Amino acid sequence: MPNIVNAKKSGVITIVGKPNVGKSTLLNTICKKKVSIVSYKPQTTRNQIKTLFSNEMLDITFVDTPGFHFAKNKLDLFLNSEIKKTFKSCDLVLFLVDPTRPVDDEDLEIIKFVKSYKLEKIILVITKCDVVTEGSIRNHINSISKHFTPIATTKISSKNNSFELLFEAIYENLIGYQQLEETQDSDNFNIAEIIREQILLNCKKEVPYATGIYIEKTSFDESKNIFNIFANIFVEKSSQKPILIGKNGTMIKKIGVNARKELLKIYDCKINLKLFVKVQTDWRNNPKVLSLLGYSNK
């Protein structure tokens, strides 16, 4: 943190940017825990995810949003609505830009959304700055500045994990202090996200995007200190089911083993995780299934 002698400040900060720009990585690194799942594939985050960060000078509710993308189905419409929803109550926006990719229509659409909510406090954050030249970074800043004027611009890198300048910009642009609402983690949501993360990391092509996770039942056996979890993995096509299961069940076993390892980092008990693959045809356009999986604004 910078050497600031003023009073502590607080606020709600929304993190936006196109898919795979580094939003979830930034949030997890700042909070020093897994708040949002991460993979090298775009469209990893599907819900707005809130977490409270606190240090000696700041109390912040960070909101990680799905990356904006052009809608192809009702799930996509939900993802974009999650971005819009966060704009209504935030104090600052962190607009993340990846300098390894050109400024394109997705970036401009996000800027258009932000402007439509008359949000003027936008901090431009250049990610992955360790893998590009200063000239490339300047070109990106100039390209973005043609469409809006950020109140501050800062650079970050996942390698050095230095956020001093980012925190300084945040502090300078928050007004005062008020008690923030506690963020509540949902067990079922966290478990489903961890399972989905392993699918993203281990499966290829369209399969990860065609899967939805439904936690059918959980129970805790106090006498054995075992957390029992029964989860359904929905796929859209019959042809996707054997891919997800793998030859002799190798893929679903790998997903389950790796998911258990991540769950053991969160829960101080044994984990009994049972995964079942089921076909729900075209579920990304089915309002009932979307609601069941938590992708609904109702």
Side-chain angles (χ1 to χ4, degrees):
M1 276 297 297
N3 184 20
I4 304 173
V5 296
N6 296 331
K8 192 170 188 177
K9 293 184 178 181
S10 68
V12 177
I13 298 178
T14 296
I15 305 173
V16 300
K18 60 188 179 185
N20 209 24
V21 77
K23 300 183 300 297
S24 299
T25 299
L26 171 64
L27 187 58
N28 291 344
T29 306
I30 287 176
C31 297
K32 297 180 180 179
K33 64 178 181 178
K34 176 170 285 189
V35 175
S36 193
I37 66 173
V38 178
S39 86
Y40 60 89
K41 297 183 176 76
Q43 196 184 314
T44 298
T45 303
R46 282 183 177 171
N47 301 72
Q48 59 165 280
I49 299 171
K50 297 181 179 181
T51 190
L52 184 63
F53 168 84
S54 182
N55 63 17
E56 68 274 14
M57 295 307 301
L58 289 165
D59 281 346
I60 302 170
T61 296
F62 280 111
V63 185
D64 181 20
T65 63
F68 176 86
H69 54 286
F70 296 106
K72 298 178 181 178
N73 50 55
K74 290 183 179 180
L75 174 61
D76 289 348
L77 291 173
F78 167 79
L79 302 184
N80 289 341
S81 74
E82 287 285 273
I83 300 176
K84 297 178 185 179
K85 190 162 57 177
T86 65
F87 290 161
K88 296 181 180 180
S89 59
C90 70
D91 300 297
L92 286 176
V93 174
L94 301 186
F95 180 25
L96 272 59
V97 174
D98 177 357
T100 67
R101 294 186 280 169
V103 176
D104 57 19
D105 288 344
E106 286 182 297
D107 294 301
L108 300 183
E109 194 68 26
I110 294 169
I111 293 171
K112 180 181 176 181
F113 272 141
V114 173
K115 283 184 174 180
S116 71
Y117 284 92
K118 302 188 181 342
L119 293 170
E120 299 178 355
K121 289 193 172 184
I122 309 170
I123 297 175
L124 179 62
V125 181
I126 308 298
T127 66
K128 307 177 185 179
C129 62
D130 55 298
V131 297
V132 294
T133 65
E134 284 295 326
S136 178
I137 293 173
R138 285 195 298 271
N139 289 338
H140 260 70
I141 293 173
N142 291 336
S143 295
I144 290 291
S145 297
K146 292 177 183 178
H147 303 281
F148 82 100
T149 302
I151 55 174
T153 300
T154 187
K155 300 178 292 183
I156 60 172
S157 164
S158 60
K159 288 188 176 180
N160 58 36
N161 293 341
S162 176
F163 302 107
E164 184 173 347
L165 294 178
L166 176 59
F167 281 133
E168 184 174 353
I170 289 171
Y171 186 91
E172 289 176 353
N173 290 285
L174 289 175
I175 296 175
Y177 186 87
Q178 60 180 358
Q179 192 70 33
L180 298 175
E181 293 182 7
E182 289 290 334
T183 59
Q184 293 184 344
D185 292 330
S186 164
D187 278 334
N188 283 6
F189 175 78
N190 289 336
I191 294 166
E193 286 291 272
I194 286 172
I195 295 169
R196 193 165 64 85
E197 179 181 43
Q198 291 306 318
I199 296 172
L200 283 161
L201 292 173
N202 290 287
C203 296
K204 298 178 180 179
K205 297 183 179 179
E206 84 283 355
V207 173
Y209 305 105
T211 57
I213 315 301
Y214 175 60
I215 307 303
E216 185 171 18
K217 183 174 67 173
T218 62
S219 63
F220 182 68
D221 188 330
E222 292 187 15
S223 63
K224 296 181 180 179
N225 194 35
I226 295 178
F227 189 15
N228 297 297
I229 303 165
F230 297 85
N232 293 329
I233 303 175
F234 292 154
V235 293
E236 287 191 314
K237 302 175 183 177
S238 298
S239 60
Q240 294 163 345
K241 184 174 180 178
I243 296 173
L244 193 55
I245 293 173
K247 186 177 181 180
N248 298 322
T250 52
M251 178 57 73
I252 197 68
K253 182 178 180 180
K254 184 178 182 181
I255 291 167
V257 168
N258 291 339
R260 283 190 198 94
K261 290 179 180 178
E262 292 299 316
L263 290 167
L264 286 170
K265 297 176 183 178
I266 301 173
Y267 300 103
D268 187 21
C269 62
K270 299 175 184 177
I271 302 293
N272 176 33
L273 176 62
K274 300 293 185 182
L275 301 178
F276 305 91
V277 183
K278 298 185 177 182
V279 179
Q280 282 282 348
T281 304
D282 197 25
W283 69 262
R284 283 182 288 183
N285 278 312
N286 187 321
K288 290 184 179 180
V289 179
L290 288 172
S291 179
L292 181 69
L293 299 179
Y295 305 134
S296 172
N297 291 317
K298 294 181 180 180

